[in-house]
Structure formats: structure tokens, C-alpha cells
Amino acid sequence: MFPLIFLSLFLLPTANLAAVSNDGKYLKLPLLRKSPFPSPTQALALDTRRLHFLSLRRKPIPFIKSPVVSGASSGSGQYFVDLRIGQPPQSLLLIADTGSDLVWVKCSACRNCSHHSPATVFFPRHSSTFSPAHCYDPVCRLVPQPGRAPKCNHTRIHSTCHYEYGYADGSLTSGLFGRETTSLKTSSGKEAKLKNVAFGCGFRISGQSVSGTSFNGAHGVMGLGRGPISFASQLGRRFGNKFSYCLMDYTLSPPPTSYLIIGDGGGRGGEQINAVSKLLFTPLLTNTFSPTFYYVKLRSVSVNGAKLRIDPSIWEIDSSGNGGTVVDSGTTLAFLADPAYRLVLAAIRRRIKLPNADELTPGFDLCLNVSGVSKPEKLLPRLKFEFSGGAVFVPPPRNYFIETEEEVQCLAIQSVNPKVGFSVIGNLMQQGFLFEFDRDRSRLGFSRRGCALP
């Protein structure tokens, strides 16, 4: 959560899911020939028809497509997706977070719920499909237990599974762990009901991440991390083990529509989906100390085309699991390992063509006075990040300079000590790019094309 980084948790395999989909039809085309060897024209016609009918025999794998919206209007630096949970469905906005695993929602056990605003909490009592997990259920081992959790009694029917999930700043969500049915739109336009989705029903939440301004407008978190309990992992086994999204510029009004797609949406229509052929790929790395996170290998950083002389070891994951670079939609700003950050900051300062602001906005090291400048972006230095595999990421300046007050823009990159943390490509830096997390091939793809542009 902004501006913090989620803690990773070691998790085990999750429960199976059931879903509703349509079966494909099998058709057979007889091949009739008047001579042993058809003419090239006849052969081409036959091959074309054969490929057409073979394509009908292939059963397509549907994918989930859910709108992604910025939380800026409610004062949040996060991006939200809608989750329809329970029967009948209750719609809640959850933070889309690639830096954590747990799916959880705010819950209420109230009997008279009139004092709650509609669509702000989940009411288990109002759902016919809510099923709390028992403490002896294997799914209960997928989440951390509270320090004072009741002793598990295998003989009691109502011995429920309690969880407590923590974040880097000490924030906590705790409550009951259970299963529910979620209602999702598939690529066919029909609704799929997925049963037994494991999630946390949070009755107690505390701390800056989940009660501060970054959580404004949200009703929970959709963990999309690499752990088996995440939403991406649970749905990935049914719809294809990859997901993609576009995070659009939060300053645009009205905000453009983009989507979180779970499954392989390639080649099935839509600008975002058709852009997969334009993706640049870099391998995903694994850190056994932090299995939740999507690590990539950053090789170099350039400012206005000049590659900075950064020691390559700065980007490495050390033997204790520290360092490295993470792609995290749940962190707003970008963070760079301190030695690299200092070189980037100095290089940007040398190339700035705008005056400094009279005062720095607290928390930022470089702020500029842009009063009277119609298009300050054209006067700002350009950053270029090169990743392993040759993939080059060139975000526009609005992805790393933000307006902190009227006529003041600040560099939205901060320093992190690589001995106790890692570099982060946050959601601001990701704006306007299609990102695809291909978990089967262990690679991350990105493209400037594929997002709905104004």
C-alpha cells in the first residue's frame, strides 16, 4: 500500500475451484477428391476449409475481464477492481495488488445492518454460499494464524479458521478465513460462478495501510501475488496461468476504462488484448525469501539517452533475500536502491530546464516550479530502464513527476536501502502500459500499446 511495500508470506497449495463454461462442438468434414493430386488452387481451398473446421473443434479457454478504476477521486493512490462475492452477489471495490497474496474484504456480522452504507462491507449472513473454513481444514494452513488464536478443536463442528495478515508498516487485517462464490464476467459475455474461492473475512483492520488515506474508497484487497492463495493463482488454474492489466493516468477526466484480464486474452478482440503481440518480455526471477513478489532484473538506467554508471551488483538479490527489483501495483511511487537513486537524481538535476520550487514538498527531494509552463513534460528529462532479455521500458515524464500542489511538480522516485529492502516499480510508473504476468513461462511483458488512450 502507498507508500509502503507488502510483506511476503510463505504459503501452500490452495483448494480447487469449480466454474461454469460452455463445451465446444466437434465437427467433421469429409474430404472428397476427383483425382489423386488436387491442383494448387484446390489444395489451398481444402486446407483453408480444414483449418476452419479444426478451429471449431478446439475448445477455447475463456478469460475474465474486469474494469480497473483509479482511486484518485476518493483520495487514494491505488487502483480498484470490482469483486462480486456471495449469493446473491455483493459488489465491493478491492485494491488490485501484485505485492500481496491474500484476498480479503471488510466484513460485518451485524444483524441490523441499516447503519452500514450499501456496498462498503460484506455481510456473510446475507449470502447463502458463505462457508467459514474450519481450523483443521487444509486451506487454513494457507494463511498466518493470530498469535492468540483459539486452540483448534478437531471434534467441534464450529471451530473456525482465524487469520491475521500483516503488512510492512505494521498494518493488520484479521478475522475468519473461508470460502465463497464469486460472480465474474467471461470473454464469452456470460457470467461464470466460481465456487470455493478462499478469502479473508476481515472483522478487524488497523494500521496506516488499511485505515489511512491510501485505502480511501476500498473495501478490501485483491492479492494478485505469486503465492497459491492469491486471486491470480486460484483463478489461474481454471482460466490460464497469466493475467494482465492497464493502469490509466489518474489525472484524466473522465477516467478511461481499462481492464484486469485473468487468463490468456490474446487475439480475442479489444485493443488491450490484441496488443500482446507487441509485448516486450523480461524473465521473472524467484526470491525464495519473498515468494510473493514479481521480481525482474534491472540492468541499466539512462537519462536523456546517457547510460548511468551504476554498479550492476546494486540490482542483485543478495544471499539474505534483500535487493532486487519488484513490480508492484500496490505501491504508488517508484523506489530505487540508494546508490542508483543518487546517480539518477543528480543526472536529472543537471538536465532540468525548469526552476526549483521555493520549498520542497515533504517527502520529496526534487520539486520544480512549473507556473506559466503549458507543457512542462516537454522540458523534463527522459528515463529509460533496460531489463534482462533486452526489454526496454521508457515511461513518459508524467509517470515519475507528479503535481504535489498547484504549479509544483516533484520527482516521484524515492530511495531505498538495498540491504533491507528492494527497488520497486510502482503503479504510477506503470501508468499507460499494458503489463502481462505470464506465470507459466515465468516472464513479464509490457507494451506502450494496448491501453485505452484518450
Side-chain angles (χ1 to χ4, degrees), residues 20-245:
V20 179
S21 63
N22 294 326
D23 292 330
K25 293 183 179 180
Y26 291 83
L27 301 177
K28 186 175 181 180
L29 174 67
L31 297 177
L32 302 177
R33 297 177 179 175
K34 293 183 179 179
S35 64
F37 300 102
S39 69
T41 303
Q42 291 173 319
L44 178 61
L46 289 170
D47 284 348
T48 301
R49 294 181 68 188
R50 175 178 172 79
L51 289 174
H52 170 69
F53 281 95
L54 286 175
S55 68
L56 293 179
R57 294 181 62 179
R58 178 174 56 86
K59 182 178 178 181
I61 300 175
F63 57 90
I64 299 298
K65 185 176 180 181
S66 180
V68 178
V69 297
S70 169
S73 61
S74 57
S76 171
Q78 306 293 345
Y79 286 83
F80 303 154
V81 291
D82 179 72
L83 180 68
R84 301 178 74 236
I85 184 170
Q87 290 295 314
Q90 302 176 41
S91 292
L92 298 172
L93 286 178
L94 306 189
I95 292 173
D97 179 30
T98 61
S100 66
D101 291 325
L102 182 67
V103 180
W104 67 271
V105 298
K106 294 180 180 178
C107 283
S108 175
C110 63
R111 294 181 181 275
N112 178 10
C113 304
S114 59
H115 62 284
H116 283 285
S117 300
T120 58
V121 294
F122 176 65
F123 302 113
R125 292 180 183 273
H126 295 180
S127 173
S128 62
T129 51
F130 174 70
S131 175
H134 300 296
C135 61
Y136 50 84
D137 190 320
V139 76
C140 192
R141 295 196 293 270
L142 302 176
V143 287
Q145 308 297 304
R148 298 181 179 180
K151 185 177 180 180
C152 184
N153 188 332
H154 289 246
T155 62
R156 291 181 57 191
I157 296 178
H158 298 293
S159 188
T160 54
C161 175
H162 294 260
Y163 81 92
E164 184 175 273
Y165 196 86
Y167 298 100
D169 68 336
S171 296
L172 294 172
T173 168
S174 61
L176 298 179
F177 198 57
R179 296 184 178 92
E180 243 312 357
T181 296
T182 62
S183 304
L184 301 162
K185 293 291 185 181
T186 67
S187 53
S188 65
K190 296 184 178 181
E191 187 175 82
K193 296 187 187 301
L194 278 79
K195 302 176 182 178
N196 297 322
V197 174
F199 78 113
C201 203
F203 292 105
R204 293 169 297 279
I205 59 175
S206 63
Q208 181 179 345
S209 287
V210 294
S211 60
T213 56
S214 68
F215 205 75
N216 286 350
H219 312 127
V221 174
M222 180 183 285
L224 295 168
R226 303 178 82 174
I229 201 60
S230 79
F231 198 69
S233 296
Q234 293 190 64
L235 269 65
R237 283 182 287 277
R238 172 61 184 87
F239 293 99
N241 203 21
K242 68 169 62 172
F243 67 94
S244 63
Y245 58 67

Side-chain angles (χ1 to χ4, degrees), residues 301-351:
V301 181
S302 301
V303 179
N304 280 0
K307 184 180 294 187
L308 303 183
R309 301 180 67 178
I310 301 172
D311 188 331
S313 65
I314 295 298
W315 309 118
E316 299 293 334
I317 301 172
D318 66 22
S319 58
S320 300
N322 297 311
T325 304
V326 166
V327 178
D328 181 15
S329 64
T331 297
T332 301
L333 302 186
F335 292 79
L336 292 178
D338 186 66
Y341 170 77
R342 293 182 183 278
L343 291 173
V344 170
L345 180 61
I348 290 178
R349 277 180 170 155
R350 287 195 301 269
R351 292 164 174 81

